Amino acid sequence: MQLVKKTMMMAGALLLALNVCGQENVPAEKKVEKKVTSENHDAGKVNFKVSADVVSSYVWRGAYNAGASIQPTLGMSAGNFSLTVWGSKEISDLHKEIDITAAYRFGRVSVSVADYWWEGDKFWEKEDNSSAKYFNLDNHDTKHRLEAGISWTISERFPLSVAWNTMFWGADKDARDGKQNYSSYVELNYPFTVRQINLTATLGFTPYESRNMYGTGGFDVCNIALSAAKEIRISKRFSLPVFSRVILNPAAQDAHVVFGFTLQ
C-alpha cells in the first residue's frame, strides 16, 4: 500500500506540474510509438497514410523487445474509423512483429481492438509447432493476442489522455490452468511544447498481477517516459522528423534511451 500511495502521489505531482507547463505552451500533437504521418487526400473521404520509423531499439510499454528495428505503418481512415497495420523487423536479428488495430473515435473517446503477433522470429519452429504460424487462429493454441482498449482525452486545453487496454483472447493464458489472464495496462500521456520541441510525458502501470505479459505481481509502475520530437529541415521540400525517449521501468528495475527518425 505504501508503494501505491507513493506512486499515486508522484503521478499527481507530475500531472500538476505538467498542467501548469501546458497552460503556458501550445499543446503538441502526441507522438505515439506506432506513428502514421504521410497522407493521400486524393481518395475522397477515405484517406491512406504511410510511414516508417527507424529506431535504435524497440521498447514497448517499458519493456525491451528488440534491437535496432525498422517499423513500417500502413493506415486507412474514413470519418471517425481507422484501420492500421504496423510492423517491426529487427535489423540485425530475428524479431518480427505484425500488429493490426481497428479504432473508432467518439469525440474525445476512442475505442479500439488490436491483434498482436510477435512470433515471426521463430521461423524454425513453424514446421513442428503450428502455434507459431501466423494463420493459426485456435484460441487455445495461437500466438496471436487480441486486446480491447478505450482512451479518453480530457480537453484541448488540458490534453491529458487516459487509456485502459486488456487482452481478452489468444496467447495470454495462465500456464497453470489455460485460462485467459486478461492482462491489463493503463497509460497516461500528456503532450506539451517547450522551445518548439514537442514533448510527451508518459506514466504506465498494471492495475493487477500480469506476470506473463508485463512481469508484475500486482499494481506496479512499468513505464515512466519522456519523449521529445522535432522536425529537422533538410531542404525547402524535405524535413526529417526525429525523436528520442528516456524510459524507466521501476517494476523491472530497467531503463532505456531510444532514438529514431521517421520516413514519410
Side-chain angles (χ1 to χ4, degrees):
M1 291 300 297
Q2 291 182 351
L3 174 61
V4 174
K5 290 181 180 179
K6 289 181 179 180
T7 302
M8 298 308 293
M9 289 176 64
M10 290 172 60
L14 174 63
L15 294 176
L16 179 60
L18 291 175
N19 186 22
V20 173
C21 182
Q23 292 176 357
E24 295 176 352
N25 299 281
V26 179
E29 185 175 322
K30 181 177 69 173
K31 175 180 173 58
V32 297
E33 293 181 8
K34 301 172 183 181
K35 183 181 177 183
V36 184
T37 51
S38 293
E39 301 187 8
N40 177 6
H41 294 288
D42 297 331
K45 294 183 179 180
V46 178
N47 296 321
F48 291 92
K49 304 179 181 182
V50 60
S51 70
D53 288 345
V54 179
V55 295
S56 59
S57 61
Y58 171 27
V59 179
W60 181 68
R61 295 178 178 176
Y64 177 87
N65 277 239
S69 302
I70 299 175
Q71 300 177 333
T73 301
L74 177 62
M76 181 275 290
S77 64
N80 293 332
F81 173 78
S82 66
L83 181 64
T84 304
V85 179
W86 181 92
S88 182
K89 179 63 183 76
E90 194 169 15
I91 295 173
S92 61
D93 213 327
L94 301 175
H95 182 272
K96 181 176 73 175
E97 179 176 346
I98 300 174
D99 303 335
I100 302 174
T101 303
Y104 194 88
R105 180 173 295 278
F106 304 87
R108 293 196 299 272
V109 176
S110 179
V111 294
S112 64
V113 176
D115 169 34
Y116 298 109
W117 183 76
W118 50 73
E119 299 298 320
D121 56 344
K122 298 181 180 179
F123 64 89
W124 61 87
E125 294 184 359
K126 289 182 172 53
E127 294 298 327
D128 301 322
N129 182 6
S130 63
S131 65
K133 296 181 179 180
Y134 185 82
F135 292 102
N136 176 14
L137 301 179
D138 183 339
N139 182 26
H140 298 287
D141 188 47
T142 185
K143 293 300 183 181
H144 287 264
R145 295 165 172 83
L146 293 187
E147 179 184 78
I150 183 169
S151 65
W152 171 54
T153 301
I154 294 178
S155 68
E156 291 185 5
R157 183 176 178 82
F158 183 51
L160 172 69
S161 65
V162 183
W164 180 295
N165 301 279
T166 297
M167 293 189 175
F168 64 91
W169 183 93
D172 180 37
K173 296 285 197 299
D174 190 322
R176 295 167 295 184
D177 56 18
K179 294 183 179 180
Q180 204 72 37
N181 283 321
Y182 297 102
S183 296
S184 294
Y185 172 78
V186 180
E187 186 172 282
L188 287 72
N189 283 284
Y190 189 92
F192 58 103
T193 301
V194 175
R195 297 184 180 275
Q196 299 182 337
I197 297 178
N198 298 330
L199 300 169
T200 301
T202 300
L203 173 66
F205 59 90
T206 56
Y208 46 79
E209 180 179 349
S210 183
R211 297 189 185 279
N212 182 46
M213 276 302 305
Y214 305 107
T216 59
F219 174 90
D220 217 337
V221 176
C222 58
N223 187 16
I224 301 174
L226 180 64
S227 304
K230 184 179 178 61
E231 288 198 7
I232 298 178
R233 184 162 296 281
I234 306 299
S235 66
K236 291 183 179 180
R237 295 186 177 182
F238 178 74
S239 60
L240 183 67
V242 298
F243 55 89
S244 185
R245 303 185 186 102
V246 178
I247 304 164
L248 305 177
N249 186 335
Q253 303 214 0
D254 202 359
H256 313 275
V257 178
V258 176
F259 173 80
F261 59 89
T262 302
L263 301 175
Q264 56 188 25

